Amino acid sequence: MAERIIKSNKIRIGDLSISYYTKRATRHPEKHIIFLHSFPFNKNMWREQLENLDEEVTGIAIDIRGHGNSTKGHGFFSIDVFAKDLGVFIEKLDLKKVILCGLSMGGYIALRAYQLFPEKISGLILSDTHSLADEDAAKQKRFDAIQAVLQHGRRPYAIGFIANVFSPKAIADRPEAVELIKSSIRRNNVGSICATLLALAARTDTSSVLPSIDVPTLLIRGKEDKITPAEPMRKMANEIQGARYVEMEHCGHLPNLEDPSVFNSHINQLIRQVP
């Protein structure tokens, strides 16, 4: 059997170059899953998921516009722009149907993508995310973060972020994951961080699409997540027909990094349900 290697790729779409990883399936019929990272990280946060996919699954993890090694193009970011980039990416790779796995910002993109091109999506994994737009207090918090990044740079922002996104257990037990996230933030351009914060503040509410979702759907939340409350995720699970909602013990906002073996088990179970 051929060894499955994670390969780095680049593809030109419209005004930008998208960097992405692929791990090809070795068995058929082949399924495709695309991983969408959270803010302000990159595709590297998904390596442990790519490494543990079933043999009939091709995994793809992309750097969203302005993050990681993808260029920022025109520089005017929105969740809508990110979702439309994804749609063109899927067409360019000639993928008929894909499962989308999005965490936090990646989940916002996945839900907007389902609004735009549901016929291309065969399954959804939504982790530590929800369908609501920011309320005014949350918007203000993002505007304050922009000012802080512009005034003090990325390093203090990265340090504060760590305490917010990881559970205390993960900080103690998973130093390599903590360092990955710190380095991801430091590698981001200040302009892209600020542009993405504005995009998150301006995103639309996608709750209206939930009752129309008719593909296998899994919602995962770290039980100790300080950023995404449980209630909107439970509400999503109730509104999406047949959706399954799970909470992962001793995990915060990044359960795929905090307890990858349990996270991988959940996502592989969902993938097997997709026809």
Side-chain angles (χ1 to χ4, degrees):
M1 186 183 295
E3 185 184 356
R4 300 175 72 199
I5 299 168
I6 296 174
K7 292 187 177 178
S8 291
N9 312 269
K10 281 203 168 181
I11 191 169
R12 188 84 193 172
I13 66 164
D15 65 329
L16 77 155
S17 170
I18 287 189
S19 176
Y20 63 103
Y21 289 142
T22 53
K23 188 177 184 185
R24 310 277 336 161
T26 56
R27 284 208 327 237
H28 292 276
E30 184 182 11
K31 299 178 186 179
H32 292 87
I33 182 167
I34 297 179
F35 293 95
L36 304 167
H37 62 77
S38 51
F39 166 80
F41 313 135
N42 59 53
K43 63 184 180 297
N44 286 324
M45 70 177 287
W46 296 114
R47 286 193 70 97
E48 291 194 72
Q49 281 65 58
L50 290 172
E51 286 165 2
N52 289 281
L53 290 169
D54 289 346
E55 289 180 359
E56 71 274 11
V57 183
T58 288
I60 300 168
I62 72 171
D63 281 336
I64 290 156
R65 176 189 291 257
H67 295 74
N69 293 321
S70 288
T71 58
K72 63 181 181 178
H74 51 59
F76 297 98
F77 295 174
S78 68
I79 298 302
D80 189 69
V81 164
F82 296 154
K84 286 173 179 171
D85 288 343
L86 175 63
V88 178
F89 177 84
I90 291 168
E91 285 180 15
K92 276 268 192 176
L93 265 61
D94 197 25
L95 306 177
K96 304 307 178 197
K97 279 187 176 275
V98 298
I99 301 159
L100 296 181
C101 177
L103 193 151
S104 195
M105 177 178 75
Y108 304 149
I109 297 166
L111 284 169
R112 180 62 182 138
Y114 196 91
Q115 283 185 315
L116 292 170
F117 41 88
E119 72 284 353
K120 291 283 187 185
I121 299 168
S122 58
L124 285 171
I125 300 164
L126 305 169
S127 179
D128 299 80
T129 192
H130 55 73
S131 61
L132 305 172
D134 272 0
E135 295 181 347
D136 285 352
K139 283 184 169 71
Q140 189 59 55
K141 200 171 177 181
R142 298 197 198 275
F143 300 152
D144 292 343
I146 290 171
Q147 292 301 316
V149 171
L150 291 173
Q151 189 171 352
H152 304 294
R154 287 164 294 190
R155 191 172 181 276
Y157 185 68
I159 292 166
F161 221 91
I162 294 304
N164 256 342
V165 295
F166 286 111
S167 70
K169 186 176 189 302
I171 290 173
D173 295 351
R174 300 275 298 167
E176 70 285 359
V178 173
E179 188 49 46
L180 170 70
I181 290 309
K182 280 183 185 172
S183 67
S184 296
I185 298 171
R186 287 195 299 263
R187 284 178 61 190
N188 264 358
N189 175 279
V190 167
S192 288
I193 290 175
C194 295
T196 309
L197 282 164
L198 285 174
L200 292 168
R203 74 182 186 277
T204 55
D205 188 305
T206 52
S207 301
S208 63
V209 79
L210 301 178
S212 68
I213 293 174
D214 62 356
V215 297
T217 302
L218 170 66
L219 293 96
I220 306 176
R221 178 179 177 270
K223 200 166 186 178
E224 297 177 32
D225 189 342
K226 298 174 189 172
I227 296 172
T228 305
E231 186 49 39
M233 291 204 69
R234 291 194 184 109
K235 193 167 185 293
M236 279 204 301
N238 289 334
E239 293 191 25
I240 299 171
Q241 184 180 357
R244 189 166 72 93
Y245 172 66
V246 296
E247 288 197 342
M248 287 178 52
E249 298 284 344
H250 310 300
C251 291
H253 192 61
L254 301 173
N256 72 305
L257 291 171
E258 296 173 82
D259 194 346
S261 61
V262 171
F263 190 92
N264 296 342
S265 172
H266 285 309
I267 69 168
N268 280 321
Q269 188 178 340
L270 183 282
I271 292 167
R272 289 173 200 136
Q273 292 173 16
V274 173

